[in-house]
Amino acid sequence: MNITITQSEAEFDTLAAWRVIAAILNKPKVVIGLSTGQTTAHMHRIISEIYSRHPFDTSGVTLFGVDEITRVSREYAGSCYSMLRNQLVDALQLSEAQFLMPSPFSDDFEKECRAYEDELEKRGGIDLQVLGLGTNGHLGFNQPGTPFGSRTWISKMDPALESRVRRETNSSPDKEMGGFTLGITNIMQARKILLVCKGPHKAEIVRKMLLDPVTEDIPASVLQLHPDCEFLLDTAAAKYIN
């Protein structure tokens, strides 16, 4: 396994940003999957700042989101679409065609899932998939117990996240929500994966992900089997594996 441990949060954020920039510089028509959350927000900011000072060619780049909340407008500030667009996509001056996101509304989500996979395949497949790590080991919206053979699907949302989204969007209790997400199979088909994780609250799940047996109870443990996955950690997250 390729494990990189940084000595500070600033070093972590900067190194993660340069991993993404390097992928763009090395392959002009690169396809990069992004994740949202506190771990990746600073990485996105640094990429944007570097681009503003030293612009590089992004004309052939495709960025896409690994997941999205269903039945919630993209205008909602907490949607993955809004976060990625505000944090990075607009700063890199990408066109609409260069930014792929799952549709949050559909009469046939199974069809939407297949269409999303097909569009990524048409663009050559995933060159780099950036992933965060949930405190229970989830990847995207693939919660513990998700079969490793899963493909793009609509999962149940984490109850705490769903409660927050409903509160912030004033959604009625009977409005069904879910998590449109690439499945474990899709994630494992990425040519390269960058798993980013920082903070002491993630230390125990990092230990389980890297040192315990591979199990569907900890979805991220499957990354032990990927041929080109870098686990980028800060010292706090890595304290139980040093």
Side-chain angles (χ1 to χ4, degrees):
M1 290 185 288
N2 181 10
I3 301 173
T4 302
I5 301 174
T6 65
Q7 297 304 306
S8 68
E9 184 174 355
E11 181 188 1
F12 173 96
D13 294 331
T14 301
L15 189 56
W18 276 106
R19 291 288 192 265
V20 175
I21 293 172
I24 295 173
L25 297 179
N26 289 333
K27 185 176 181 180
K29 292 187 177 181
V30 70
V31 177
I32 300 176
L34 300 173
S35 297
T36 56
Q38 294 182 348
T39 303
T40 56
H42 292 299
M43 176 191 79
H44 296 158
R45 176 182 55 78
I46 292 172
I47 295 171
S48 299
E49 290 174 352
I50 292 172
Y51 179 81
S52 69
R53 295 196 304 268
H54 308 286
F56 44 87
D57 183 14
T58 60
S59 61
V61 172
T62 293
L63 298 184
F64 72 92
V66 69
D67 52 25
E68 183 58 285
I69 304 166
T70 64
R71 298 184 175 87
V72 172
S73 171
R74 284 178 168 176
E75 301 306 311
Y76 166 50
S79 74
C80 299
Y81 176 92
S82 287
M83 286 190 283
L84 291 177
R85 177 167 287 286
N86 293 335
Q87 292 174 9
L88 186 60
V89 173
D90 286 347
L92 294 184
Q93 300 180 316
L94 302 187
S95 68
E96 285 291 335
Q98 291 176 269
F99 179 39
L100 300 181
M101 286 296 295
S103 173
F105 297 101
S106 177
D107 293 329
D108 188 344
F109 274 115
E110 184 173 347
K111 182 178 179 180
E112 291 292 336
C113 288
R114 300 291 78 76
Y116 198 57
E117 286 188 9
D118 290 346
E119 185 58 37
L120 289 174
E121 189 63 28
K122 286 178 184 177
R123 299 186 187 218
I126 306 169
D127 294 300
L128 173 64
Q129 177 64 63
V130 181
L131 296 169
L133 176 65
T135 53
N136 62 359
H138 73 253
L139 296 175
F141 279 127
N142 296 292
Q143 297 293 336
T146 300
F148 285 156
S150 63
R151 302 194 66 88
T152 308
W153 66 301
I154 308 298
S155 74
K156 289 187 178 296
M157 290 183 64
D158 173 78
L161 174 60
E162 181 173 348
S163 177
R164 176 170 64 82
V165 172
R166 287 187 183 280
R167 183 175 65 254
E168 293 176 350
T169 59
N170 294 316
S171 297
S172 63
D174 59 348
K175 180 179 180 180
E176 185 179 358
M177 290 183 184
F180 189 123
T181 184
L182 292 188
I184 302 297
T185 293
N186 306 96
I187 289 171
M188 291 296 284
Q189 288 174 340
R191 296 180 183 90
K192 182 176 181 62
I193 294 174
L194 176 66
L195 186 287
V196 292
C197 183
K198 61 183 177 181
H201 62 298
K202 296 288 183 72
E204 178 59 23
I205 194 62
V206 165
R207 183 194 65 77
K208 292 179 179 179
M209 171 182 67
L210 295 176
L211 302 181
D212 283 2
V214 174
T215 171
E216 292 177 349
D217 291 336
I218 304 174
S221 67
V222 74
L223 299 179
Q224 295 180 34
L225 307 178
H226 194 277
D228 192 1
C229 178
E230 178 180 11
F231 299 91
L232 178 59
L233 315 169
D234 70 353
T235 52
K239 68 178 181 178
Y240 294 143
I241 65 169
N242 284 334

